[in-house]
Amino acid sequence: MENYAVILVIMALMIGVSGLAGKIKIPVPMLLLIVGVMIGFVPAMPEIELNPEIIMLLFLPPLLYDAAFNISFQQFKTNLNTIGTLAIGLVFLTTIGIAVIAHYLIPGMTWPLAFVLGAILSATDAVAALGVTKGLGLSHKTMTILEGESLINDASALVAYRFAVAAVTGIAFVTWKASIEFLCVLGGGFLVGWVIFTALRLTIGFFRKDAMVVNSLILLMPFVTYLIAEHFKVSGVIAVVCLGLGMSKLSRTKFPDHVKEQSRNFWDIIIFLLNGLIFLLIGLEFPIILKKMPQFQVWTYAGYAGIIVLVTLLIRMARVYLQQFNLQKAFQGKRRISEDALFDSKTSFIITWSGMRGIVSLAIALGLPTHINGGEAFPMRNEIIFLSVVVVLISLLGQGLTLPWIVKKFKL
């Protein structure tokens, strides 16, 4: 009953703060994050430690599905080159960049541990990108690139993370094996998503006029898709995204209007609650992580986190502007590049600044094993988790609070 009461209080608080954010013109995720941190320091507040498996299963599937469902498939296809570059190439580039900085900057950070930290913080977050950019009036192209990147890059980051953790346990990294596994994880996720979408399409075709049955199936299937994909050791993220893209196209042509309207209203409430809870829980987690760090190390490691945020931004900026240049060069060279895929320097900066870390990085960090082979404690586990949480906070608050001002300044 005590836990039940705490959950109700958190839900009520989240709804109230979300309403207040609209009144005082502060992005909802940022205010929830700040309030979460403040409440976490209240002595009477019980500690709520997040279970990474629950985060990945309870929050990720519906949020990824909704984002994929609402993305423009045509825009996604047009900007696929940029999305793929950021979601795959940039993730591995960021992993390497963070690993190099961490290894030479942080005492005791071996190369395997540095790559673990790099993999954890390599991917931008779909929830953060959607939550912060919503209502800013960004172009469909910019939103599609941001959403498309953050929908796919989790799969790249999880593969990098898996190999980095294996290296800590003493398993040698083999490039060709990693490449094959990465392709299998992505391809397998796509296959699972396509098979489940096909089955769901046939089932919905049978019940298409019964709005309650159709919407119940649609609510259930992102969770089922994610679980089945993870059971077969392929990307649950890619499977859910594939399902969402397929259902988006199907709904526009096959769903009766009353089914679409009921589905939209239902999903709006679900996503509002899940989005709000995620940012509040991230804030609540910080005081818990802080207590596990020796006091004399807190400010030093907070400084390391600030440097890592700066490095990730610089790497991202260089890659985004290089992509802008490459697209323009290819278009002028009369290659098969659509003019709609091009973007200007202002858009490049917005794409750079919108690349925030979020709940996925936090969940991966909290999911670090406590022990490695032979029962030995996982080296620097608390330090890596603390760095990850502080990077997420700096990224969300620093970039999230300034993004509306930047968009207004650029008059986008």
Side-chain angles (χ1 to χ4, degrees), residues 200-262:
L200 183 59
R201 183 186 63 190
L202 296 174
T203 306
I204 287 176
F206 186 72
F207 295 108
R208 65 186 298 269
K209 293 184 179 179
D210 192 330
M212 194 62 69
V213 171
V214 170
N215 287 323
S216 297
L217 279 170
I218 292 173
L219 173 64
L220 179 65
M221 292 318 292
F223 300 99
V224 173
T225 303
Y226 186 86
L227 274 175
I228 291 175
E230 291 296 317
H231 173 75
F232 288 108
K233 307 295 184 186
V234 296
S235 175
V237 171
I238 297 297
V240 173
V241 170
C242 180
L243 176 70
L245 288 171
M247 289 303 298
S248 174
K249 192 173 182 180
L250 181 69
S251 70
R252 292 190 183 100
T253 56
K254 301 295 183 182
F255 283 15
D257 289 340
H258 72 284
V259 174
K260 285 192 280 191
E261 183 179 356
Q262 190 182 79

Side-chain angles (χ1 to χ4, degrees), residues 122-136:
S122 61
T124 57
D125 188 62
V127 180
L130 285 171
V132 175
T133 55
K134 187 177 181 181
L136 294 182

Side-chain angles (χ1 to χ4, degrees), residues 10-31:
I10 290 174
M11 292 284 288
L13 183 68
M14 183 271 296
I15 294 170
V17 171
S18 298
L20 180 63
K23 297 289 185 183
I24 61 177
K25 306 300 180 184
I26 292 179
V28 175
M30 304 306 97
L31 189 59

